[in-house]
Amino acid sequence: MKQNMIEVVGIRFKPAGKVYYFDPKTDLEGHLKLERGAGVIAETVRGLEYGICEIENKEVREEDAFLPLRKIVRIACDKDLETLAANKKREKEALETCITKVAKHKLDMKLIDVELTFDATKIIFYFTADGRIDFRDLVKDLASVFRMRIELRQIGVRDESKLLNGIGVCGRTLCCATFLPEFHPVSIKMAKDQNLSLSPSKISGVCGRLMCCLKYEESHYAELNKIMPSVGDIIKTADGTGEVVSTTILRQTLRAAIRKNPKDAPSINQYHATEIKIIKRVEVFEDDTEAKKHFKDEG
C-alpha cells in the first residue's frame, strides 16, 4: 500500500526545545525552500512566533505529522529581528516588575523566567513553588500593568535547570539546556545496571533529580548485563569453581575467587565473560533506601 507523504519543515522556537513540523506553503510567499538556520515567523497556538529552521524541506508520512499543519507566515526580515530584540528587552523589564509584585502580594514562589510572544499579545511567567499558589490577585495586578494576556506557569526543578542552564558534574553545560528537547524517564535501576554508587550526591544533577545521562548508555549496559555474572554468583572456569568478587561491565571481564579443591585457599583470577559458565545466580539486595527516598518522584 502506497503511503501518503507530505512536505514539511522543522522549526525550533527555543534553544534545546522541541522541533515542530510546519507547512512550507504560505499564502504570502508561495512555496518556501528553507535552509537550516533560517529565521521564520510561524503561526502557532500562542499566536505568531519567531523560530529557527532545524529541518529543511523534506517529505514525511502523514501519520508522522500532526495534521492539519500550521503554516510559516514568512521568512524573518530585519524588522522582525528588531521586534525580537525589543521583546527581549521588555522581557527583562517584565521580570523585574513581576518580582516586585510577587513581593508585594507576599507569595511563596520563585520567578524563573518570562516569555513574551512575538506579536506581544501574551506574556508568560515561569515560576517554581513547593505547592499550589493562589495568584489570582497577582494576575490582575500584572494585567493592569502590561495590558495583555497574562499566564503564570508553574514548572518543576528540571524545567528550571533547562531554562537557567549551568555546569554539570562533568564540567560541561547541562544537556537539558544544550540539546535535549524533552526529558526521558530515569530510574535508580539504571544506576544499578551501570554499577554506579547509589549515593544521591553521586547520581544527582544540578536540579537534584537523577542525572539525564544515566539514560544514554542504558540499552548498551542492559545487553552487556545479560551475559555478565553479578558479584556473588557461582561460576565454573577452566581453573575450577568459584565466586565472582568484582566485575568490569564494559570490558566484559570479572575477577573470581577460585578453589581447585574445596580445602584449598582461594586464588583470585581474572576472566572474560566468554570464558566462564554461570552455575548459580545469587540475588544481591543493595540498600538503596536512601536513594529511593531522595528520588521518590522518579520511582
Side-chain angles (χ1 to χ4, degrees), residues 12-15 17-18 20 22 41-51 70 84 87-88 91 113-126 148-153 155 163:
R12 193 193 302 274
F13 296 96
K14 293 182 179 181
K18 291 183 180 179
Y20 298 91
F22 281 82
I41 305 300
E43 175 190 320
T44 74
V45 293
R46 300 195 310 186
L48 296 182
E49 291 284 1
Y50 173 85
R70 293 182 179 269
L84 187 65
N87 284 348
K88 293 297 181 184
E91 286 174 352
D113 199 13
V114 61
E115 184 179 354
L116 181 65
T117 58
F118 181 80
D119 52 10
T121 59
K122 183 178 182 180
I123 189 167
I124 305 169
F125 295 94
Y126 297 93
M148 65 179 73
R149 291 169 58 197
I150 305 294
E151 180 179 340
L152 272 79
R153 186 175 299 176
I155 60 175
L163 286 173

Side-chain angles (χ1 to χ4, degrees), residues 103-164:
K104 172 187 172 184
H105 290 277
K106 299 180 180 179
L107 296 174
D108 189 15
M109 54 193 288
K110 176 185 176 184
L111 282 173
I112 302 301
D113 199 13
V114 61
E115 184 179 354
L116 181 65
T117 58
F118 181 80
D119 52 10
T121 59
K122 183 178 182 180
I123 189 167
I124 305 169
F125 295 94
Y126 297 93
F127 72 94
T128 59
D130 290 335
R132 297 185 64 180
I133 302 293
D134 184 359
F135 47 68
R136 287 174 292 183
D137 292 336
L138 174 62
V139 171
K140 293 177 183 178
D141 206 351
L142 293 173
S144 66
V145 174
F146 297 108
R147 302 291 180 180
M148 65 179 73
R149 291 169 58 197
I150 305 294
E151 180 179 340
L152 272 79
R153 186 175 299 176
Q154 186 169 356
I155 60 175
V157 290
R158 280 188 163 179
D159 296 297
E160 178 184 0
S161 297
K162 185 178 181 70
L163 286 173
L164 298 180

Side-chain angles (χ1 to χ4, degrees), residues 75-94:
I75 296 176
C77 60
D78 291 340
K79 186 176 180 179
D80 292 325
L81 296 179
E82 291 174 3
T83 300
L84 187 65
N87 284 348
K88 293 297 181 184
K89 183 178 179 180
R90 291 179 66 183
E91 286 174 352
K92 292 181 180 179
E93 296 171 351

Side-chain angles (χ1 to χ4, degrees), residues 157-262:
V157 290
R158 280 188 163 179
D159 296 297
E160 178 184 0
S161 297
K162 185 178 181 70
L163 286 173
L164 298 180
N165 205 344
I167 304 297
V169 294
C170 59
R172 300 174 68 92
T173 51
L174 300 182
C175 298
C176 58
T178 308
F179 62 87
L180 282 182
E182 58 187 340
F183 296 107
H184 297 287
V186 186
S187 67
I188 296 173
K189 182 179 181 299
M190 294 179 183
K192 288 183 179 179
D193 290 345
Q194 297 172 42
N195 202 25
L196 299 175
S197 167
L198 297 183
S199 169
S201 63
K202 299 292 186 180
I203 53 178
S204 300
V206 297
C207 61
R209 296 291 188 262
L210 288 166
M211 294 187 294
C212 293
C213 55
L214 292 175
K215 178 74 174 179
Y216 299 165
E217 299 175 355
E218 170 59 19
S219 59
H220 185 59
Y221 274 97
E223 286 299 315
L224 293 179
N225 280 325
K226 288 180 181 178
I227 59 175
M228 278 291 287
S230 301
V231 173
D233 286 355
I234 306 302
I235 62 172
K236 183 178 181 180
T237 74
D239 301 316
T241 302
E243 179 181 337
V244 178
V245 295
S246 68
T247 61
T248 304
I249 299 174
L250 292 180
R251 291 183 177 180
Q252 291 285 274
T253 59
L254 58 105
R255 298 173 71 237
I258 303 296
R259 284 186 173 89
K260 290 186 178 180
N261 297 304

